[in-house]
Amino acid sequence: MSEGEVFHEKQRLELCAIHALNNVLQERVFTKETADDICKRLAPQCVVNPHRSVFGTGNYDVNVIMAALQSRGLSAVWWDKRRSVQSLCLEKVQGFILNVPSRVSLGIVSLPLRRRHWLAVRQVNGQYYNLDSKLKSPTCIGGESELRSFLNEQLSQDVAEMLLVVQREVEEDGSWLTPDDPRK
């Protein structure tokens, strides 16, 4: 990847968790095989693994994402949606992984179903990007105020959730929150 380029994996099968991980890390680190290995470690005695699709197409859960990040010395901090995104200390956050509702489609036909979808947001070269694997290319969100607006919009959906991707020590000391947040 040359300087100025934004790494962006596109959607394949139900591998959005893998794509979100790689997109937030800005390199191809995880594959279906590494995610399946994590699933086996998380539930070694299970015939039907509860952390992925029974069809073997992906659809990995949050436990796989958290274990994958831990294997890279990172942590996932579950964002409490009752907090304002204004309380985020953005310079301490490497990226964001969101779980949002997504329409199901067969080719060009959109079905009246909603599924869960993982997507990544990250700063690259001073700008924040929506790195959703369903997009044709990364979408520039802009600076910090545009990012906070984007995150507010995403989190306003009832079932949307957000993970902060941070260094382990940032999780441990809680420095991902601004110092003046009373709920720290």
Side-chain angles (χ1 to χ4, degrees):
M1 185 169 80
S2 68
E3 189 175 337
E5 268 186 61
V6 178
F7 179 87
H8 180 246
E9 280 187 358
K10 293 185 186 149
Q11 186 71 26
R12 191 172 65 81
L13 299 173
E14 293 179 295
L15 303 178
C16 58
I18 294 168
H19 303 315
L21 283 163
N22 290 337
N23 287 342
V24 85
L25 295 172
Q26 283 295 281
E27 63 179 312
R28 186 182 166 126
V29 175
F30 297 103
T31 63
K32 181 181 180 311
E33 292 72 27
T34 56
D36 286 342
D37 287 344
I38 291 169
C39 288
K40 289 173 192 163
R41 284 197 317 271
L42 291 171
Q45 305 300 323
C46 293
V47 175
V48 176
N49 196 294
H51 302 289
R52 64 177 178 207
S53 166
V54 295
F55 303 113
T57 55
N59 199 21
Y60 300 102
D61 73 10
V62 68
N63 298 293
V64 176
I65 289 174
M66 294 176 87
L69 289 170
Q70 287 171 359
S71 76
R72 303 286 295 181
L74 299 167
S75 293
V77 176
W78 203 279
W79 179 252
D80 181 347
K81 289 182 0 177
R82 295 171 296 183
R83 290 185 193 271
S84 165
V85 295
Q86 297 303 319
S87 64
L88 278 169
C89 185
L90 292 175
E91 59 269 8
K92 298 284 187 165
V93 179
Q94 183 170 327
F96 305 87
I97 296 180
L98 291 97
N99 190 251
V100 297
S102 179
R103 294 203 178 280
V104 176
S105 60
L106 294 172
I108 60 169
V109 178
S110 185
L111 302 176
L113 303 170
R114 301 284 261 182
R115 298 210 49 204
R116 309 288 295 173
H117 178 65
W118 295 106
L119 67 94
V121 173
R122 177 173 172 145
Q123 186 181 45
V124 178
N125 298 323
Q127 295 293 306
Y128 288 93
Y129 287 87
N130 178 351
L131 301 169
D132 185 343
S133 59
K134 287 187 173 184
L135 296 173
K136 289 183 182 188
S137 61
T139 302
C140 184
I141 296 168
E144 288 187 9
S145 73
E146 292 86 1
L147 170 70
R148 291 180 198 278
S149 294
F150 174 84
L151 295 176
N152 275 327
E153 181 183 319
Q154 293 298 312
L155 293 172
S156 70
Q157 301 173 73
D158 285 340
V159 294
E161 299 294 340
M162 180 168 72
L163 299 172
L164 311 178
V165 178
V166 298
Q167 295 293 322
R168 279 193 188 137
E169 57 274 8
V170 169
E171 178 198 21
E172 290 166 4
D173 67 17
S175 60
W176 48 271
L177 279 176
T178 56
D180 57 337
D181 191 308
R183 291 183 282 179
K184 192 167 182 180

